[in-house]
Amino acid sequence: MRKSIVPSILRSALGRLIHTFGVLVVTASVQVIVTTPARADSPRQTMEALYTGAAQLDLAIASYAERRAPKEYREVLRSLDALSDLFDLSEVPAALRPFVGHEIAAQTLDLLAQSGPVETSALPGPDEIAVDTTYTYRIPGTAIRLWRVEDGTRRGEVLFDPQTVDTVIRDRGSSWYLTGQGRDRYFAVIALTGPLIPLRFAEAMPEEARVLLWGSPLWKVLSCLAITLFAGSALLIGHRTAQSLLDRHTKRRRLVAMLSPLVLAAVSLTLTSFFTFELRLSGNFSVLIHTVNTILLHAAAAWLLWLLIRTGFDRAADQFEDRRESLDANMLHLFGQIVAAFAAIFVLFLGAQALGLPILSVIAGFGIGGLAIALAIRPTFENLIGGVILYLDRPIRVGDFCTFGGLAGTVERIGVRSTQIRALDRTLINVPNAQFADLQLINWAECDMMMISETIGLRYETQEETLRFVLAEIRRMMHAHPRIDNDSVRVRFTSYGAYALDIEIRVYALTREWNDFYAIREDILLRVGKIVEDSGSGFAFPSQTMYLSSDGGLDEAAQSRSADETARWRNEYRFPFPRFSKTELDQIEGTLRYPPPGSHEYLGESKQDPSSAEALSVEPRQAEPEKEHVEDDRSQG
């Protein structure tokens, strides 16, 4: 027998909980019931609709007092909605209209009751109102006015004007409100409670608890504050507990982060619905509750939208897992933050508009102050634009070795504001993106080959044929080397230096790694040294050689032959100064043999076309027309 008691108690408690939740949902759904407003085309029809609605409200309240059921409660709310539809609430914030309208209707009925009954038959009818003109009518003996709506969905209807609505709202603290005289319907409305609150509970409240505080009975205000404090504490504890349990799981942490605004919105909406339809808050305290609810709902929506957009962009950036600090991932994060910020601000602006804030004026203020803000954060914008330029041009990536502004290092992170580079001495260099985008960047990671460029000097005692031997053997070695690009081999005797015969070596190593490049260059230099040593020559070094011998003087016979040849040029008018004549140029052009005698290139065995190797441009240029040589008659003789 004892075993059967516990399940029955649990079933009873569960059934009561489900019933309570169902009643709450039913009563909360009243706010979305669409009522068809009575047609009010004249002051007579408007006042008739007002008195008819007042009679229906009285009957509904009396019926609800006898049977505290959701059906009767809905009838009370429908009657209040029908009455509030007779008022022009266009200047009341949209978020407060469904709740403020009930109290304004009840207060207006009390005001009319104080001034005495209005004979509706004496009021102007539809046929007595001028057409296409602004119409305003004042109820006799009162300050209440009616006017014809000129725009909107209820254009042409005669409603209680916004000035009357504003007067009723402002007069909540006047003396006649405080005395309680003529406030039958207003007190009846604010004393209402929902079906979940027993009537005996409300009637058992002492007189001190029924005193109005901010337009609501004191016991309702205290109950609201206690429930809010309890719900807020439970919400905060639950949020921190969930974060501590799922702190190590990134994906679950994202889920918890998204659940937080959802839970916040659900709790705020549930509490506000309970306060509105069960406690029936009123006055300025009701306005405060609905204002806070509107702020929380739009803040939660902005928060959720921010998280959703950020998560979407983060998921898109996860494809760069091997380079999480890459420019692509950072730009996706940046775009996600920008889009999420604009979306959240848009939702917050909607909430501000619902509360009646002058959004257009605020936006205009932002436009005026935007110039000062832009000037203050100009460096940040410059770095942001620099990051976008780096993203579009892609001159570097994370992991690339680059040279910039006299410095060199490996790119470790490309952020929104700056780029971090690990220098060769292992220090970390932070370069703002605005400066980095303007620097001359050398990206070594993009090179297909790496150049070996060296200049060696042979001693001046080296004979011409020995020099040719060294040049030929170095070229042969370069072509034979498996890690050297054959088309890029250049080994040439370049100049008579101050103390050496200079040979320039410039080849490309087939590698893209620094360690491999240094190993190849080391091998090349060792082989060059071996070739020079085997040739019998040697490397020159800064020195001075002093030769002690008797001076034999100049060759007088050779000088005499040179002078006679120069005199013959003069006599025959072939003196080649300041330039050669066109006739002599035509005679000597191409008479020397190149390559030198004995070269294999005369036999057509060269693999490389010397005219196309390492061209300065891939596009062939048109041959320039020959210039006519205009010689002075005196110079040609």
Side-chain angles (χ1 to χ4, degrees), residues 220-232:
K220 291 186 178 182
V221 174
L222 297 179
S223 301
C224 176
L225 295 178
I227 295 174
T228 303
L229 181 60
F230 174 78

PDB file of all heavy atoms in Angstrom, residues 220-232:
ATOM      1  N   LYS A 220       2.812  42.907  -5.873  1.00  0.00           N
ATOM      2  CA  LYS A 220       3.193  42.446  -7.213  1.00  0.00           C
ATOM      3  C   LYS A 220       4.635  42.841  -7.545  1.00  0.00           C
ATOM      4  O   LYS A 220       5.387  42.064  -8.143  1.00  0.00           O
ATOM      5  CB  LYS A 220       2.242  43.028  -8.249  1.00  0.00           C
ATOM      6  CG  LYS A 220       0.829  42.488  -8.185  1.00  0.00           C
ATOM      7  CD  LYS A 220      -0.010  43.016  -9.330  1.00  0.00           C
ATOM      8  CE  LYS A 220      -1.424  42.430  -9.297  1.00  0.00           C
ATOM      9  NZ  LYS A 220      -2.241  42.889 -10.437  1.00  0.00           N
ATOM     10  N   VAL A 221       5.006  44.051  -7.131  1.00  0.00           N
ATOM     11  CA  VAL A 221       6.385  44.505  -7.392  1.00  0.00           C
ATOM     12  C   VAL A 221       7.378  43.624  -6.651  1.00  0.00           C
ATOM     13  O   VAL A 221       8.390  43.167  -7.227  1.00  0.00           O
ATOM     14  CB  VAL A 221       6.548  45.972  -6.988  1.00  0.00           C
ATOM     15  CG1 VAL A 221       8.001  46.412  -7.122  1.00  0.00           C
ATOM     16  CG2 VAL A 221       5.649  46.869  -7.823  1.00  0.00           C
ATOM     17  N   LEU A 222       7.109  43.349  -5.360  1.00  0.00           N
ATOM     18  CA  LEU A 222       8.023  42.508  -4.579  1.00  0.00           C
ATOM     19  C   LEU A 222       8.068  41.084  -5.121  1.00  0.00           C
ATOM     20  O   LEU A 222       9.137  40.466  -5.173  1.00  0.00           O
ATOM     21  CB  LEU A 222       7.592  42.523  -3.102  1.00  0.00           C
ATOM     22  CG  LEU A 222       7.659  43.882  -2.400  1.00  0.00           C
ATOM     23  CD1 LEU A 222       7.174  43.752  -0.962  1.00  0.00           C
ATOM     24  CD2 LEU A 222       9.078  44.427  -2.443  1.00  0.00           C
ATOM     25  N   SER A 223       6.926  40.545  -5.520  1.00  0.00           N
ATOM     26  CA  SER A 223       6.901  39.194  -6.102  1.00  0.00           C
ATOM     27  C   SER A 223       7.708  39.145  -7.390  1.00  0.00           C
ATOM     28  O   SER A 223       8.471  38.200  -7.638  1.00  0.00           O
ATOM     29  CB  SER A 223       5.457  38.762  -6.364  1.00  0.00           C
ATOM     30  OG  SER A 223       4.696  38.766  -5.173  1.00  0.00           O
ATOM     31  N   CYS A 224       7.556  40.179  -8.207  1.00  0.00           N
ATOM     32  CA  CYS A 224       8.306  40.239  -9.470  1.00  0.00           C
ATOM     33  C   CYS A 224       9.802  40.287  -9.214  1.00  0.00           C
ATOM     34  O   CYS A 224      10.583  39.575  -9.854  1.00  0.00           O
ATOM     35  CB  CYS A 224       7.855  41.447 -10.275  1.00  0.00           C
ATOM     36  SG  CYS A 224       8.780  41.716 -11.793  1.00  0.00           S
ATOM     37  N   LEU A 225      10.230  41.119  -8.283  1.00  0.00           N
ATOM     38  CA  LEU A 225      11.656  41.238  -7.975  1.00  0.00           C
ATOM     39  C   LEU A 225      12.209  39.935  -7.409  1.00  0.00           C
ATOM     40  O   LEU A 225      13.334  39.512  -7.763  1.00  0.00           O
ATOM     41  CB  LEU A 225      11.890  42.383  -7.000  1.00  0.00           C
ATOM     42  CG  LEU A 225      11.570  43.793  -7.520  1.00  0.00           C
ATOM     43  CD1 LEU A 225      11.806  44.825  -6.426  1.00  0.00           C
ATOM     44  CD2 LEU A 225      12.404  44.112  -8.746  1.00  0.00           C
ATOM     45  N   ALA A 226      11.459  39.259  -6.543  1.00  0.00           N
ATOM     46  CA  ALA A 226      11.934  38.004  -5.960  1.00  0.00           C
ATOM     47  C   ALA A 226      12.065  36.916  -7.027  1.00  0.00           C
ATOM     48  O   ALA A 226      13.065  36.187  -7.070  1.00  0.00           O
ATOM     49  CB  ALA A 226      10.966  37.555  -4.859  1.00  0.00           C
ATOM     50  N   ILE A 227      11.065  36.797  -7.894  1.00  0.00           N
ATOM     51  CA  ILE A 227      11.132  35.785  -8.963  1.00  0.00           C
ATOM     52  C   ILE A 227      12.282  36.086  -9.920  1.00  0.00           C
ATOM     53  O   ILE A 227      13.013  35.192 -10.347  1.00  0.00           O
ATOM     54  CB  ILE A 227       9.780  35.731  -9.700  1.00  0.00           C
ATOM     55  CG1 ILE A 227       8.680  35.242  -8.759  1.00  0.00           C
ATOM     56  CG2 ILE A 227       9.882  34.821 -10.924  1.00  0.00           C
ATOM     57  CD1 ILE A 227       7.295  35.298  -9.367  1.00  0.00           C
ATOM     58  N   THR A 228      12.457  37.354 -10.243  1.00  0.00           N
ATOM     59  CA  THR A 228      13.550  37.730 -11.157  1.00  0.00           C
ATOM     60  C   THR A 228      14.904  37.431 -10.539  1.00  0.00           C
ATOM     61  O   THR A 228      15.813  36.922 -11.219  1.00  0.00           O
ATOM     62  CB  THR A 228      13.437  39.223 -11.510  1.00  0.00           C
ATOM     63  OG1 THR A 228      12.165  39.487 -12.083  1.00  0.00           O
ATOM     64  CG2 THR A 228      14.534  39.622 -12.487  1.00  0.00           C
ATOM     65  N   LEU A 229      15.067  37.738  -9.256  1.00  0.00           N
ATOM     66  CA  LEU A 229      16.334  37.464  -8.578  1.00  0.00           C
ATOM     67  C   LEU A 229      16.621  35.965  -8.536  1.00  0.00           C
ATOM     68  O   LEU A 229      17.750  35.534  -8.812  1.00  0.00           O
ATOM     69  CB  LEU A 229      16.299  38.034  -7.164  1.00  0.00           C
ATOM     70  CG  LEU A 229      17.571  37.858  -6.327  1.00  0.00           C
ATOM     71  CD1 LEU A 229      18.749  38.547  -7.004  1.00  0.00           C
ATOM     72  CD2 LEU A 229      17.370  38.395  -4.919  1.00  0.00           C
ATOM     73  N   PHE A 230      15.609  35.176  -8.256  1.00  0.00           N
ATOM     74  CA  PHE A 230      15.803  33.728  -8.216  1.00  0.00           C
ATOM     75  C   PHE A 230      16.143  33.187  -9.604  1.00  0.00           C
ATOM     76  O   PHE A 230      17.071  32.373  -9.754  1.00  0.00           O
ATOM     77  CB  PHE A 230      14.534  33.054  -7.676  1.00  0.00           C
ATOM     78  CG  PHE A 230      14.578  31.556  -7.718  1.00  0.00           C
ATOM     79  CD1 PHE A 230      15.289  30.842  -6.766  1.00  0.00           C
ATOM     80  CD2 PHE A 230      13.921  30.863  -8.727  1.00  0.00           C
ATOM     81  CE1 PHE A 230      15.344  29.447  -6.818  1.00  0.00           C
ATOM     82  CE2 PHE A 230      13.966  29.486  -8.785  1.00  0.00           C
ATOM     83  CZ  PHE A 230      14.674  28.778  -7.830  1.00  0.00           C
ATOM     84  N   ALA A 231      15.398  33.609 -10.620  1.00  0.00           N
ATOM     85  CA  ALA A 231      15.652  33.117 -11.982  1.00  0.00           C
ATOM     86  C   ALA A 231      17.030  33.558 -12.482  1.00  0.00           C
ATOM     87  O   ALA A 231      17.754  32.784 -13.118  1.00  0.00           O
ATOM     88  CB  ALA A 231      14.566  33.613 -12.921  1.00  0.00           C
ATOM     89  N   GLY A 232      17.410  34.802 -12.192  1.00  0.00           N
ATOM     90  CA  GLY A 232      18.724  35.272 -12.619  1.00  0.00           C
ATOM     91  C   GLY A 232      19.853  34.523 -11.954  1.00  0.00           C
ATOM     92  O   GLY A 232      20.852  34.165 -12.604  1.00  0.00           O
TER      93      GLY A 232
END
